[in-house]
Amino acid sequence: MAPTAPTVELGHGAAMPQLGLGTWPMDDAEAERVVAEAIGLGYRLVDTAENYQNERGVGLGLKASGVAREDLFVTTKFNKEWHGVDLAAEACERGLDRLGLDYLDLLLIHWPNPQHGKYIEAWEGLVGLLESGRVKAIGTSNFKPTHLDRIIEATGVIPDVNQIQLSPLTTRLEARAYHKERGIVTQSWSPIGGQGGEVRNEPKVLQLAEKYGKTPVQVVLRWHLDSGLTVVPKSSDPERLAQNLDVFDFELEPDDVMSLAALDQGEAAAADSDQFGH
Ligand SMILES: NC(=O)C1=CN([C@@H]2O[C@H](COP(=O)(O)OP(=O)(O)OC[C@H]3O[C@@H](n4cnc5c(N)ncnc54)[C@H](OP(=O)(O)O)[C@@H]3O)[C@@H](O)[C@H]2O)C=CC1
């Protein structure tokens, strides 16, 4: 059995596993099966979203796993239609209802949608949910430093987590430096390159896989962990789920971490949250 991922302490005190299960794109039936399997393998963090339309399946998978609620870490996110103080609270209640839970470990604003103009109000709503204890941690996703500046200035409350697209091909140095300065934990989405998967076929990755006797995906996941990042890789396959969690018995040498970061294709290769979002 693979080990359970170590945790990182978030700004508001919650302990979040450094590695968890991504669930996009899974439908309810697939999510129910995969979430239960993953927890059985040792996963404790599950990442979903209103937008994935699989929270009900995720919730059934959590229950089917038989693992106690307090030993699980559940993240969901809400869409821009809920960007408002009271609307964010309603989005949380609806998410909880779909998941069949009575609290969330982490609730994220999925995209800032700056053209919609209401993400500061959404953040104020999340601050209220944190204070009421309905959520243990609050955060953002796809927020740039300019968006983060505005919500922090408006409330004085720093997000626990900012979940952004990040891999050796999109290393997001500016965002990471900003997060580090403020104690925000960076969580990488599409950490192994998403469905296209280019990063896992990079010659440098293949060479390091050979050197460490690991798979290319294990090398890429280790790059995130050795760079101080947290990750939510997705797999629906039992063997790959086990493989992706089995990355806590080796570390990359610092030179190898740097050589993978040198694959960066720049900010333009990442989804632009000023232009994109649901
Ligand atoms: N906040 C946001 O806006 C976003 C958040 N996310 C979150 O991040 C998660 C991860 O991102 P995602 O885009 O899924 O990309 P990932 O980088 O996790 O890559 C997933 C792909 O890699 C394949 N894969 C997984 N493990 C292995 C392996 N060991 N060897 C070979 N192939 C493998 C999967 O296929 P298979 O299933 O067949 O194994 C799937 O096609 C999502 O599931 C979601 O939870 C994603 C996008 C946006």
Side-chain angles (χ1 to χ4, degrees):
M1 191 199 210
T4 298
T7 58
V8 58
E9 188 182 343
L10 302 180
H12 293 104
M16 183 179 82
Q18 291 172 14
L19 183 149
L21 173 71
T23 65
W24 181 86
M26 296 181 197
D27 64 15
D28 278 324
E30 188 177 18
E32 179 178 354
R33 170 183 68 79
V34 176
V35 165
E37 275 173 7
I39 294 171
L41 287 167
Y43 285 76
R44 290 295 176 264
L45 184 161
V46 180
D47 179 84
T48 181
E50 174 189 13
N51 187 251
Y52 305 166
Q53 297 182 34
N54 63 14
E55 288 166 308
R56 287 183 199 285
V58 166
L60 293 172
L62 296 170
K63 287 216 167 52
S65 77
V67 170
R69 172 67 185 96
E70 62 270 25
D71 294 330
L72 299 170
F73 189 104
V74 183
T75 304
T76 194
K77 324 179 186 82
F78 59 83
N79 294 343
K80 71 174 185 294
E81 289 71 26
W82 306 102
H83 286 194
V85 179
D86 296 338
L87 288 170
E90 192 178 339
C92 177
E93 291 311 312
R94 289 183 181 223
L96 285 169
D97 182 62
R98 288 188 294 267
L99 284 158
L101 300 176
D102 57 11
Y103 72 91
L104 290 168
D105 296 280
L106 177 63
L107 181 58
L108 305 177
I109 304 174
H110 202 150
W111 291 86
N113 297 98
Q115 67 285 6
H116 191 64
K118 294 277 187 199
Y119 63 86
I120 294 175
E121 288 85 341
W123 183 246
E124 289 167 351
L126 289 195
V127 171
L129 289 164
L130 180 71
E131 286 165 355
S132 73
R134 203 69 167 137
V135 301
K136 306 287 181 205
I138 55 175
T140 52
S141 178
N142 302 301
F143 275 46
K144 292 180 178 176
T146 48
H147 306 130
L148 292 166
D149 272 342
R150 290 185 197 119
I151 61 170
I152 294 169
E153 195 182 316
T155 60
V157 179
I158 294 177
D160 286 288
V161 171
N162 190 27
Q163 186 186 94
I164 57 174
Q165 184 183 9
L166 207 162
S167 81
L169 300 184
T170 51
T171 59
R172 314 296 299 271
L173 291 181
E174 187 197 342
R176 283 160 62 190
Y178 180 101
H179 297 166
K180 193 170 178 195
E181 203 175 301
R182 288 161 184 78
I184 299 168
V185 170
T186 307
Q187 194 174 51
S188 308
W189 64 255
S190 290
I192 51 177
Q195 294 182 71
E198 292 82 0
V199 68
R200 42 193 192 261
N201 296 318
E202 283 285 336
K204 185 75 206 170
V205 173
L206 300 177
Q207 184 202 325
L208 292 178
E210 187 82 18
K211 171 177 171 179
Y212 289 93
K214 299 290 176 180
T215 70
V217 164
Q218 287 174 319
V219 166
V220 173
L221 289 170
R222 205 54 241 180
W223 174 83
H224 288 269
L225 299 167
D226 291 330
S227 303
L229 304 164
T230 65
V231 277
V232 284
K234 174 265 174 186
S235 181
S236 299
D237 174 81
E239 278 180 24
R240 290 191 287 273
L241 282 170
Q243 180 193 130
N244 296 353
L245 185 61
D246 190 13
V247 292
F248 295 100
D249 63 347
F250 77 112
E251 282 181 16
L252 300 182
E253 292 166 18
D255 282 356
D256 292 332
V257 173
M258 275 166 55
S259 69
L260 287 178
L263 298 174
D264 186 31
Q265 297 174 352
E267 200 60 21
D272 183 351
S273 47
D274 283 328
Q275 309 294 331
F276 184 67
H278 315 273

